[in-house]
Amino acid sequence: MLILGIDTSCDDTSASVTEDGANIISNVISGQTLIHEKYGGIVPELASRRHIEKIWPVVSEAIDAAGAGYRDLSGIAVCNGPGLIGSLLIGCSFAKALCYSTGKPLVAVNHLEGHIYSSFLEEPRPDFPFIALIVSGGHTCLYRVDGFGQYKELGRTRDDAAGEAYDKVSKLLGLGYPGGPAIDKLAQNGDPKAIDFPRAYLPESLDFSFSGLKTAVLNFLKSGIGPELISNISASFQAAVIDVLIRKTEWAIKKERIKRITLSGGVAANSELRRRMKKMAEEREAELFIPSVGLCTDNAAMIAAAGYHHLKAGNTAGFDLNPVAYLPL
Ligand code: KG4
Ligand code: ZN
């Protein structure tokens, strides 16, 4: 079954053709970093306008690269939320028009569900049940996943997402947008123990909180430091984020008695988080599944993968499908 997936939830215009929710035939991503970097973050209005320009060429490229035609598709899956409403609107409108003109079924996919299914796009694939940690620019949450469509939220951030904290701290340090890759790189030459930034462990809860950490970095910077310390600040900030992510995942696998973890979302591209999560999983004798770096950040292959399972279950959407900025899983 070939599914065309479309994702325009944030600042990447992406389209992908995948087979049976598992094999990527094509995956095209048009990013907007050059447009937003001078503002130090995503400007929603500019993101929407760029999606309008890019959606048709990106979808055409994904279809051509797959060597397929629209007639070969079993369905068209689109992310309808959560995300930036103006951005989501472009993908949803385009997918609806495509379904209307081709007669193919329309499938709506939650962006978070997409991130979970990014772990199914490569070998080895996880069995159920598993604990899913999603860490992105908009979300930081833990789920227990018992099967396709069976999700129980165990915890979520109460304020900033981990990626948002990376981006805000990067801005404070003058490192630009997106902050994650810049801090990841700098931290490799820094001392993670140089500054003892706070870790919000929130006892008895699997929720997260990163806004205090961001403020602690701001206060540290106000205290007047030399530029030579930026790598140490990066490494110490990153250690504080990762310590919490690892500890909460450990609690989750213990609490749910499930020794299987998936790690996904843009922050899962982080080299130190990947290393530390692997170490923890080995120590706990847990299986760990982390997608390749390119499948951690936003992509439409993950939307097509989740869409395949919805289509198989008969969960199709009507032409009254609307995007939703806040859409819990
Ligand atoms: O999943 P994603 O592409 O979009 C959302 O759904 O939000 O995640 C984007 C986030 C950004 O905050 C970016 O700074 C972060 O992922 N990110 C990273 C790395 N690469 C991307 N954070 C830490 N280390 C990285 N290497
Ligand atoms: Zn995402």
Short mmCIF file of all heavy atoms in Angstrom, two decimals, residues 16-63:
data_model
loop_
_atom_site.label_atom_id
_atom_site.label_comp_id
_atom_site.label_asym_id
_atom_site.label_seq_id
_atom_site.Cartn_x
_atom_site.Cartn_y
_atom_site.Cartn_z
N SER A 16 6.13 12.76 1.37
CA SER A 16 6.82 11.47 1.30
C SER A 16 5.88 10.39 0.79
O SER A 16 4.69 10.40 1.10
CB SER A 16 7.31 11.10 2.71
OG SER A 16 7.66 9.74 2.79
N VAL A 17 6.44 9.46 0.04
CA VAL A 17 5.67 8.27 -0.33
C VAL A 17 6.28 7.11 0.44
O VAL A 17 7.50 6.88 0.37
CB VAL A 17 5.72 8.00 -1.86
CG1 VAL A 17 5.01 6.70 -2.20
CG2 VAL A 17 5.10 9.16 -2.62
N THR A 18 5.46 6.42 1.23
CA THR A 18 5.96 5.24 1.96
C THR A 18 5.08 4.04 1.64
O THR A 18 3.92 4.18 1.27
CB THR A 18 6.01 5.43 3.49
OG1 THR A 18 4.68 5.46 3.97
CG2 THR A 18 6.72 6.70 3.89
N GLU A 19 5.68 2.87 1.83
CA GLU A 19 4.98 1.63 1.51
C GLU A 19 4.69 0.87 2.80
O GLU A 19 5.60 0.67 3.62
CB GLU A 19 5.89 0.78 0.60
CG GLU A 19 5.26 -0.49 0.11
CD GLU A 19 6.31 -1.36 -0.59
OE1 GLU A 19 7.49 -1.33 -0.19
OE2 GLU A 19 5.94 -2.06 -1.53
N ASP A 20 3.45 0.50 2.99
CA ASP A 20 3.01 -0.30 4.14
C ASP A 20 3.44 0.27 5.49
O ASP A 20 3.74 -0.47 6.43
CB ASP A 20 3.52 -1.75 4.01
CG ASP A 20 2.97 -2.42 2.75
OD1 ASP A 20 1.92 -1.95 2.25
OD2 ASP A 20 3.60 -3.36 2.26
N GLY A 21 3.54 1.57 5.57
CA GLY A 21 3.88 2.22 6.84
C GLY A 21 5.29 1.92 7.32
O GLY A 21 5.64 2.21 8.47
N ALA A 22 6.13 1.34 6.45
CA ALA A 22 7.43 0.89 6.91
C ALA A 22 8.59 1.29 5.99
O ALA A 22 9.68 1.60 6.47
CB ALA A 22 7.42 -0.63 7.07
N ASN A 23 8.37 1.26 4.69
CA ASN A 23 9.48 1.52 3.76
C ASN A 23 9.34 2.89 3.12
O ASN A 23 8.32 3.18 2.49
CB ASN A 23 9.52 0.45 2.66
CG ASN A 23 9.59 -0.94 3.26
OD1 ASN A 23 10.34 -1.17 4.20
ND2 ASN A 23 8.77 -1.84 2.74
N ILE A 24 10.39 3.68 3.25
CA ILE A 24 10.37 5.01 2.64
C ILE A 24 10.75 4.89 1.17
O ILE A 24 11.84 4.42 0.85
CB ILE A 24 11.36 5.96 3.36
CG1 ILE A 24 11.01 6.08 4.85
CG2 ILE A 24 11.36 7.33 2.69
CD1 ILE A 24 12.01 6.89 5.66
N ILE A 25 9.86 5.33 0.29
CA ILE A 25 10.18 5.30 -1.15
C ILE A 25 10.76 6.66 -1.54
O ILE A 25 11.69 6.75 -2.30
CB ILE A 25 8.92 5.00 -2.01
CG1 ILE A 25 8.12 3.83 -1.43
CG2 ILE A 25 9.31 4.75 -3.46
CD1 ILE A 25 8.79 2.49 -1.51
N SER A 26 10.16 7.72 -1.00
CA SER A 26 10.72 9.06 -1.22
C SER A 26 10.38 9.91 0.00
O SER A 26 9.38 9.67 0.68
CB SER A 26 10.15 9.71 -2.49
OG SER A 26 8.76 9.97 -2.31
N ASN A 27 11.23 10.89 0.29
CA ASN A 27 10.99 11.76 1.45
C ASN A 27 11.64 13.11 1.15
O ASN A 27 12.86 13.22 1.18
CB ASN A 27 11.60 11.12 2.71
CG ASN A 27 11.19 11.83 3.99
OD1 ASN A 27 10.16 12.52 4.02
ND2 ASN A 27 11.98 11.68 5.04
N VAL A 28 10.82 14.09 0.82
CA VAL A 28 11.35 15.40 0.39
C VAL A 28 11.03 16.43 1.48
O VAL A 28 9.90 16.52 1.94
CB VAL A 28 10.72 15.82 -0.95
CG1 VAL A 28 11.25 17.18 -1.40
CG2 VAL A 28 10.97 14.77 -2.03
N ILE A 29 12.05 17.18 1.87
CA ILE A 29 11.86 18.20 2.92
C ILE A 29 12.43 19.52 2.43
O ILE A 29 13.59 19.58 2.03
CB ILE A 29 12.57 17.79 4.24
CG1 ILE A 29 12.05 16.43 4.73
CG2 ILE A 29 12.37 18.86 5.33
CD1 ILE A 29 12.86 15.83 5.86
N SER A 30 11.61 20.56 2.48
CA SER A 30 12.11 21.90 2.15
C SER A 30 12.07 22.73 3.43
O SER A 30 11.00 23.07 3.93
CB SER A 30 11.22 22.50 1.05
OG SER A 30 11.57 23.85 0.86
N GLY A 31 13.24 23.01 3.96
CA GLY A 31 13.33 23.75 5.24
C GLY A 31 13.29 25.26 5.02
O GLY A 31 13.39 25.75 3.89
N GLN A 32 13.13 25.99 6.12
CA GLN A 32 13.01 27.46 6.01
C GLN A 32 14.00 28.19 6.92
O GLN A 32 13.79 29.36 7.25
CB GLN A 32 11.58 27.88 6.41
CG GLN A 32 10.48 27.23 5.61
CD GLN A 32 9.10 27.74 6.01
OE1 GLN A 32 8.96 28.54 6.93
NE2 GLN A 32 8.07 27.27 5.32
N THR A 33 15.06 27.49 7.32
CA THR A 33 16.01 28.09 8.27
C THR A 33 16.50 29.46 7.81
O THR A 33 16.56 30.41 8.60
CB THR A 33 17.22 27.15 8.49
OG1 THR A 33 16.70 25.90 8.90
CG2 THR A 33 18.16 27.67 9.56
N LEU A 34 16.82 29.56 6.52
CA LEU A 34 17.38 30.83 6.01
C LEU A 34 16.39 31.99 6.16
O LEU A 34 16.79 33.14 6.34
CB LEU A 34 17.75 30.68 4.52
CG LEU A 34 18.96 29.78 4.23
CD1 LEU A 34 19.18 29.64 2.74
CD2 LEU A 34 20.21 30.35 4.91
N ILE A 35 15.09 31.66 6.11
CA ILE A 35 14.07 32.71 6.22
C ILE A 35 13.95 33.20 7.67
O ILE A 35 13.81 34.39 7.93
CB ILE A 35 12.71 32.18 5.72
CG1 ILE A 35 12.79 31.91 4.22
CG2 ILE A 35 11.56 33.13 6.05
CD1 ILE A 35 11.56 31.25 3.64
N HIS A 36 14.02 32.25 8.61
CA HIS A 36 13.71 32.60 10.01
C HIS A 36 14.93 32.94 10.85
O HIS A 36 14.78 33.56 11.91
CB HIS A 36 12.94 31.45 10.67
CG HIS A 36 11.67 31.10 9.95
ND1 HIS A 36 10.56 31.91 9.98
CD2 HIS A 36 11.35 30.04 9.15
CE1 HIS A 36 9.59 31.35 9.24
NE2 HIS A 36 10.06 30.23 8.73
N GLU A 37 16.12 32.52 10.43
CA GLU A 37 17.28 32.64 11.33
C GLU A 37 17.57 34.08 11.74
O GLU A 37 17.98 34.33 12.87
CB GLU A 37 18.53 31.93 10.78
CG GLU A 37 19.08 32.53 9.52
CD GLU A 37 20.28 31.72 8.99
OE1 GLU A 37 20.70 30.75 9.62
OE2 GLU A 37 20.76 32.10 7.91
N LYS A 38 17.29 35.03 10.84
CA LYS A 38 17.62 36.42 11.21
C LYS A 38 16.68 36.96 12.28
O LYS A 38 16.97 37.98 12.90
CB LYS A 38 17.65 37.32 9.98
CG LYS A 38 16.42 37.34 9.12
CD LYS A 38 16.66 38.34 7.97
CE LYS A 38 15.61 38.26 6.89
NZ LYS A 38 15.67 37.04 6.08
N TYR A 39 15.56 36.29 12.50
CA TYR A 39 14.62 36.72 13.55
C TYR A 39 14.85 35.95 14.85
O TYR A 39 14.17 36.19 15.85
CB TYR A 39 13.17 36.53 13.09
CG TYR A 39 12.88 37.27 11.80
CD1 TYR A 39 12.83 36.60 10.58
CD2 TYR A 39 12.69 38.65 11.80
CE1 TYR A 39 12.59 37.27 9.39
CE2 TYR A 39 12.46 39.33 10.61
CZ TYR A 39 12.41 38.64 9.41
OH TYR A 39 12.18 39.32 8.25
N GLY A 40 15.74 34.95 14.83
CA GLY A 40 16.03 34.18 16.04
C GLY A 40 14.92 33.20 16.40
O GLY A 40 14.88 32.67 17.50
N GLY A 41 14.00 32.95 15.48
CA GLY A 41 12.91 32.00 15.74
C GLY A 41 11.94 32.04 14.57
O GLY A 41 12.09 32.86 13.66
N ILE A 42 10.95 31.15 14.61
CA ILE A 42 10.02 31.05 13.47
C ILE A 42 9.01 32.19 13.49
O ILE A 42 8.39 32.47 14.52
CB ILE A 42 9.28 29.70 13.52
CG1 ILE A 42 10.28 28.56 13.33
CG2 ILE A 42 8.20 29.62 12.45
CD1 ILE A 42 9.75 27.21 13.66
N VAL A 43 8.85 32.85 12.35
CA VAL A 43 7.83 33.88 12.20
C VAL A 43 6.65 33.21 11.49
O VAL A 43 6.75 32.88 10.30
CB VAL A 43 8.36 35.08 11.38
CG1 VAL A 43 7.30 36.17 11.27
CG2 VAL A 43 9.64 35.63 11.99
N PRO A 44 5.54 32.95 12.20
CA PRO A 44 4.45 32.14 11.64
C PRO A 44 3.95 32.62 10.28
O PRO A 44 3.72 31.81 9.37
CB PRO A 44 3.36 32.23 12.71
CG PRO A 44 4.10 32.46 13.98
CD PRO A 44 5.27 33.32 13.60
N GLU A 45 3.80 33.92 10.12
CA GLU A 45 3.27 34.46 8.86
C GLU A 45 4.20 34.11 7.68
O GLU A 45 3.76 33.70 6.61
CB GLU A 45 3.12 36.00 9.01
CG GLU A 45 2.75 36.74 7.75
CD GLU A 45 1.32 36.44 7.28
OE1 GLU A 45 0.52 35.94 8.08
OE2 GLU A 45 1.05 36.71 6.09
N LEU A 46 5.51 34.25 7.92
CA LEU A 46 6.48 33.93 6.86
C LEU A 46 6.48 32.43 6.57
O LEU A 46 6.64 32.00 5.42
CB LEU A 46 7.88 34.39 7.26
CG LEU A 46 8.07 35.90 7.45
CD1 LEU A 46 9.52 36.20 7.82
CD2 LEU A 46 7.69 36.66 6.18
N ALA A 47 6.30 31.64 7.63
CA ALA A 47 6.28 30.17 7.45
C ALA A 47 5.11 29.78 6.55
O ALA A 47 5.28 29.01 5.60
CB ALA A 47 6.16 29.47 8.81
N SER A 48 3.92 30.34 6.81
CA SER A 48 2.74 29.99 6.00
C SER A 48 2.96 30.36 4.53
O SER A 48 2.66 29.60 3.62
CB SER A 48 1.49 30.73 6.48
OG SER A 48 1.41 30.70 7.86
N ARG A 49 3.49 31.57 4.33
CA ARG A 49 3.69 32.03 2.95
C ARG A 49 4.66 31.11 2.19
O ARG A 49 4.46 30.82 1.01
CB ARG A 49 4.22 33.47 2.95
CG ARG A 49 3.15 34.47 3.32
CD ARG A 49 3.71 35.86 3.44
NE ARG A 49 2.69 36.76 3.94
CZ ARG A 49 1.83 37.42 3.17
NH1 ARG A 49 1.88 37.29 1.87
NH2 ARG A 49 0.92 38.21 3.70
N ARG A 50 5.70 30.67 2.89
CA ARG A 50 6.68 29.79 2.24
C ARG A 50 6.07 28.43 1.93
O ARG A 50 6.37 27.82 0.89
CB ARG A 50 7.90 29.65 3.15
CG ARG A 50 9.08 28.97 2.50
CD ARG A 50 9.60 29.79 1.34
NE ARG A 50 10.84 29.23 0.80
CZ ARG A 50 11.37 29.58 -0.35
NH1 ARG A 50 10.77 30.51 -1.10
NH2 ARG A 50 12.49 29.04 -0.77
N HIS A 51 5.22 27.93 2.84
CA HIS A 51 4.54 26.65 2.59
C HIS A 51 3.72 26.74 1.30
O HIS A 51 3.70 25.80 0.51
CB HIS A 51 3.61 26.28 3.75
CG HIS A 51 4.32 25.72 4.95
ND1 HIS A 51 5.20 24.67 4.88
CD2 HIS A 51 4.25 26.07 6.27
CE1 HIS A 51 5.65 24.39 6.09
NE2 HIS A 51 5.10 25.23 6.96
N ILE A 52 3.05 27.88 1.11
CA ILE A 52 2.21 28.05 -0.10
C ILE A 52 3.09 27.92 -1.35
O ILE A 52 2.74 27.26 -2.32
CB ILE A 52 1.47 29.40 -0.09
CG1 ILE A 52 0.45 29.44 1.05
CG2 ILE A 52 0.77 29.66 -1.43
CD1 ILE A 52 -0.24 30.77 1.24
N GLU A 53 4.26 28.55 -1.30
CA GLU A 53 5.16 28.50 -2.46
C GLU A 53 5.70 27.09 -2.70
O GLU A 53 5.94 26.69 -3.82
CB GLU A 53 6.34 29.44 -2.25
CG GLU A 53 5.98 30.91 -2.33
CD GLU A 53 7.10 31.81 -1.76
OE1 GLU A 53 8.20 31.30 -1.45
OE2 GLU A 53 6.83 33.01 -1.61
N LYS A 54 5.93 26.36 -1.61
CA LYS A 54 6.67 25.10 -1.72
C LYS A 54 5.83 23.84 -1.81
O LYS A 54 6.33 22.79 -2.26
CB LYS A 54 7.63 24.98 -0.51
CG LYS A 54 8.85 25.85 -0.63
CD LYS A 54 9.76 25.27 -1.71
CE LYS A 54 10.93 26.18 -2.02
NZ LYS A 54 11.73 25.66 -3.14
N ILE A 55 4.59 23.90 -1.37
CA ILE A 55 3.82 22.66 -1.23
C ILE A 55 3.68 21.88 -2.55
O ILE A 55 3.91 20.67 -2.59
CB ILE A 55 2.44 22.92 -0.56
CG1 ILE A 55 1.72 21.58 -0.27
CG2 ILE A 55 1.54 23.84 -1.36
CD1 ILE A 55 2.20 20.88 0.94
N TRP A 56 3.36 22.59 -3.60
CA TRP A 56 3.15 21.90 -4.89
C TRP A 56 4.46 21.30 -5.42
O TRP A 56 4.51 20.10 -5.74
CB TRP A 56 2.49 22.88 -5.86
CG TRP A 56 2.08 22.32 -7.18
CD1 TRP A 56 2.45 22.77 -8.40
CD2 TRP A 56 1.19 21.21 -7.40
NE1 TRP A 56 1.86 22.01 -9.38
CE2 TRP A 56 1.09 21.04 -8.80
CE3 TRP A 56 0.50 20.34 -6.58
CZ2 TRP A 56 0.32 20.04 -9.38
CZ3 TRP A 56 -0.27 19.34 -7.15
CH2 TRP A 56 -0.36 19.20 -8.54
N PRO A 57 5.57 22.08 -5.49
CA PRO A 57 6.83 21.47 -5.94
C PRO A 57 7.30 20.32 -5.06
O PRO A 57 7.80 19.31 -5.57
CB PRO A 57 7.84 22.62 -5.87
CG PRO A 57 7.08 23.87 -5.71
CD PRO A 57 5.68 23.54 -5.32
N VAL A 58 7.12 20.43 -3.75
CA VAL A 58 7.60 19.37 -2.84
C VAL A 58 6.79 18.08 -3.03
O VAL A 58 7.35 16.99 -3.12
CB VAL A 58 7.57 19.86 -1.36
CG1 VAL A 58 7.68 18.70 -0.39
CG2 VAL A 58 8.70 20.86 -1.11
N VAL A 59 5.47 18.21 -3.14
CA VAL A 59 4.64 17.02 -3.35
C VAL A 59 4.96 16.39 -4.71
O VAL A 59 5.12 15.16 -4.82
CB VAL A 59 3.13 17.37 -3.23
CG1 VAL A 59 2.26 16.22 -3.72
CG2 VAL A 59 2.77 17.72 -1.78
N SER A 60 5.10 17.22 -5.74
CA SER A 60 5.42 16.68 -7.08
C SER A 60 6.75 15.94 -7.05
O SER A 60 6.89 14.86 -7.63
CB SER A 60 5.53 17.80 -8.11
OG SER A 60 4.34 18.50 -8.19
N GLU A 61 7.72 16.53 -6.35
CA GLU A 61 9.04 15.89 -6.28
C GLU A 61 8.97 14.54 -5.57
O GLU A 61 9.61 13.57 -5.98
CB GLU A 61 10.03 16.83 -5.55
CG GLU A 61 11.48 16.44 -5.76
CD GLU A 61 12.44 17.33 -4.98
OE1 GLU A 61 12.14 18.53 -4.77
OE2 GLU A 61 13.51 16.80 -4.57
N ALA A 62 8.17 14.48 -4.51
CA ALA A 62 8.03 13.21 -3.76
C ALA A 62 7.39 12.14 -4.63
O ALA A 62 7.81 10.97 -4.61
CB ALA A 62 7.22 13.44 -2.48
N ILE A 63 6.38 12.54 -5.40
CA ILE A 63 5.70 11.57 -6.29
C ILE A 63 6.66 11.11 -7.39
O ILE A 63 6.81 9.92 -7.66
CB ILE A 63 4.43 12.23 -6.91
CG1 ILE A 63 3.38 12.49 -5.82
CG2 ILE A 63 3.86 11.40 -8.06
CD1 ILE A 63 2.63 11.28 -5.35
#
